[in-house]
Amino acid sequence: MRILHTSDWHLGRTFHGRVLDDAHAAFADHLVELVTTESIDAVLVAGDVYDRAIPPNDAVALLDETLRRLTERTRVVLTPGNHDSARRLGFAADLMREGLIIRARTAGLDRGIILPDADGNEAAIVHALPYLDPDAAREILPPLLAERLGEEVPADRTAGEDRTEGEPATSPPSTAERPRLPRSHEAVVSAALRLVAADLDRLRAGRTRRLPSLLMAHAFVVGGSASESERDIRVGGVDSVPSGVFTTLGGSPLAERSGGLDYVALGHLHRPQELTQSAGPRLVYSGSPLPFSFDEAEGARSSATKSSVLLELSADGVARLERVPTPVLHQVRTLTGTMSQLLSPAFDDATGAWVRVILQGERPPGALATLKERFPSLLAFQHEAPARAARERVTVTAAADPLRIAEDFLDDVCGRAPAPAERTVLRNAYESALASARSQR
């Protein structure tokens, strides 16, 4: 069976103010062609389909058209990420045709999807987790754990402070007294995985042939490498998940008997990467199909090419994994050098690119305007001034020479003494100011 794993489309996003609609449309065309030419049996989209909860109309139209084209050729399983509105993305999900499965509700995360191969035979099990916000999921999951696993989550006993004086102890529990998981992504993902373990055990029981198991999750897994474009990644806090929870299925006693996971299709981090584990399932981020920051684009020029993940599955799990590069519609470059270097023919190939310039050394007057003329799509600029020896602080008094103060200021800002012509301009300006002051007396 052949599976295509992708995520983090972020439809509606811009790149330093430049609209990416054309690049997203090119990616959609590429995806449809890939599904056809590679005979893909299912496409997994692991969250952050849109860039924001209320996406622009053009982004909605592109997703609608892309899903229509894909479902004419294969099956699509889609989950919301933290940037999506799960309610909006999952609207009418239960009414959709067989080719499109959207899992946006926490309550349905342990309903495994059995995918058929090209011959119609049952070939793989997919559990699709929507993004589990710790604040919401810590209250939604305990009733599911109790109902399906008999697992009781202790009540949060902070409500005593909320009870008004004289209120009887037998009054209904407040929101704070309800069973709650700890407020962390590790806790809610682990709880979800324990539910998955029970369902996986049920689905595999009694079969004569083992079905490989895939899990879709949108999370920051410890060990992953974030980039500049992940605006809401907080490393080492409530938003991180240890990789080991996917091996133990959240500490489930059914982890071993269920046969475990074979592949975890991750979304959230934009760099394509696989996390190293000594045992357990393969943990793979497909990464975003487009670069959303300059550091991602520079990575795409080397070992971190933007891509989708093509999987071949067998009864033993992942038989082959291949990254398929996505098309590059806009060249993105970071150019570093002195002013003379940046204006030299060495950078002629970047005149049509989306450019970040890091100017080293002296910054002459009008440098930014000159660079914008040289690189019409200059989107970001920074100046790395040369290191200078510590200067003696100049005390400005009524007796100080104003021309000397102006020359020292120019030296401090530009890193050089004023040229003779510039000294003439400063002197003329000073004498003109003196003449104007005298005429007003």
Side-chain angles (χ1 to χ4, degrees):
M1 186 176 191
R2 296 166 71 79
I3 300 283
L4 192 65
H5 163 207
T6 177
S7 72
D8 295 274
W9 295 1
H10 286 276
L11 300 179
R13 188 160 184 159
T14 59
F15 185 98
H16 288 263
R18 294 299 175 97
V19 176
L20 292 171
D21 288 356
D22 55 347
H24 274 126
F27 168 68
D29 291 340
H30 159 79
L31 205 58
V32 172
E33 181 182 0
L34 190 61
V35 164
T36 303
T37 58
E38 295 292 338
S39 301
I40 300 298
D41 295 302
V43 176
L44 310 183
V45 187
D48 280 354
V49 182
Y50 292 126
D51 189 55
R52 51 187 183 270
I54 304 179
N57 290 337
D58 289 344
V60 176
L62 179 58
L63 179 61
D64 180 70
E65 175 66 9
T66 303
L67 292 178
R68 181 192 64 78
R69 295 168 67 193
L70 288 174
T71 53
E72 288 174 351
R73 296 163 172 82
T74 189
R75 285 175 171 77
V76 177
V77 183
L78 183 149
T79 60
N82 57 303
H83 281 254
D84 300 304
S85 164
R87 185 174 295 276
R88 289 186 176 89
L89 195 63
F91 171 74
D94 293 340
L95 305 177
M96 293 178 181
R97 56 184 173 175
E98 184 183 0
L100 176 60
I101 302 169
I102 299 178
R103 286 292 168 84
R105 298 178 183 174
T106 303
L109 57 79
D110 61 341
R111 289 186 292 130
I113 304 161
I114 298 182
L115 296 176
D117 59 20
D119 298 322
N121 301 313
E122 294 181 343
I125 302 170
V126 175
H127 285 91
L129 306 187
Y131 174 73
L132 298 172
D133 176 74
D135 288 316
R138 65 189 295 229
E139 295 192 9
I140 296 172
L141 286 169
L144 301 179
L145 293 169
E147 175 190 344
R148 299 173 190 179
L149 303 181
E151 181 180 322
E152 295 297 331
V153 176
D156 187 335
R157 295 299 183 184
T158 61
E161 302 170 1
D162 301 331
R163 185 177 289 118
T164 58
E165 186 176 355
E167 183 180 358
T170 56
S171 60
S174 69
T175 300
E177 289 179 292
R178 293 174 185 165
R180 285 181 176 178
L181 293 164
R183 185 181 176 273
S184 72
H185 212 181
E186 177 183 356
V188 296
V189 170
S190 294
L193 289 171
R194 293 195 295 276
L195 291 166
V196 167
D199 190 61
L200 185 59
D201 182 55
R202 177 184 64 82
L203 291 174
R204 279 179 168 158
R207 293 182 181 272
T208 57
R209 184 173 64 90
R210 182 183 186 273
L211 296 183
S213 170
L214 298 92
L215 180 91
M216 299 169 64
H218 196 86
F220 173 62
V221 180
V222 175
S225 174
S227 63
E228 291 175 356
S229 69
E230 282 116 12
R231 299 182 295 241
D232 42 18
I233 292 289
R234 294 190 293 277
V235 178
V238 299
D239 296 322
S240 62
V241 180
S243 60
V245 301
F246 298 100
T247 301
T248 66
L249 288 173
S252 171
L254 298 174
E256 185 175 352
R257 194 177 80 181
S258 71
L261 303 171
D262 295 295
Y263 182 87
V264 180
L266 291 167
H268 200 30
L269 298 185
H270 296 170
R271 295 186 188 277
Q273 55 197 294
E274 179 171 357
L275 306 187
T276 303
Q277 288 199 120
S278 58
R282 298 186 70 166
L283 305 178
V284 178
Y285 283 99
S286 67
S288 61
L290 308 179
F292 299 127
S293 62
F294 280 100
D295 74 318
E296 282 183 40
E298 291 303 295
R301 293 165 60 82
S302 55
S303 61
T305 303
K306 292 296 183 179
S307 57
S308 302
V309 182
L310 176 58
L311 300 172
E312 289 188 5
L313 301 175
S314 68
D316 296 326
V318 179
R320 190 172 75 91
L321 185 153
E322 175 189 355
R323 288 196 174 270
V324 183
T326 57
V328 178
L329 198 63
H330 301 289
Q331 187 186 18
V332 179
R333 298 278 301 276
T334 294
L335 312 178
T336 303
T338 64
M339 196 66 181
S340 60
Q341 290 171 335
L342 292 167
L343 298 178
S344 73
F347 290 103
D348 284 351
D349 63 337
T351 55
W354 291 358
V355 166
R356 171 175 63 179
V357 166
I358 301 175
L359 175 62
Q360 296 177 324
E362 180 184 342
R363 178 179 177 174
L368 185 56
T370 301
L371 290 169
K372 284 184 176 179
E373 184 177 354
R374 164 74 160 152
F375 306 108
S377 293
L378 193 158
L379 306 182
F381 173 82
Q382 65 187 76
H383 178 219
E384 293 181 352
R388 303 177 194 151
R391 294 174 52 85
E392 181 181 352
R393 184 179 293 274
V394 177
T395 302
V396 179
T397 66
D401 180 2
L403 284 176
R404 175 63 186 276
I405 296 299
E407 290 177 3
D408 284 346
F409 176 78
L410 184 64
D411 188 9
D412 187 60
V413 171
C414 298
R416 61 175 177 80
E422 291 170 329
R423 284 196 174 92
T424 300
V425 171
L426 291 173
R427 181 171 295 279
N428 289 341
Y430 175 54
E431 291 176 352
S432 176
L434 288 177
S436 176
R438 285 194 293 267
S439 67
Q440 295 176 10
R441 289 176 182 171

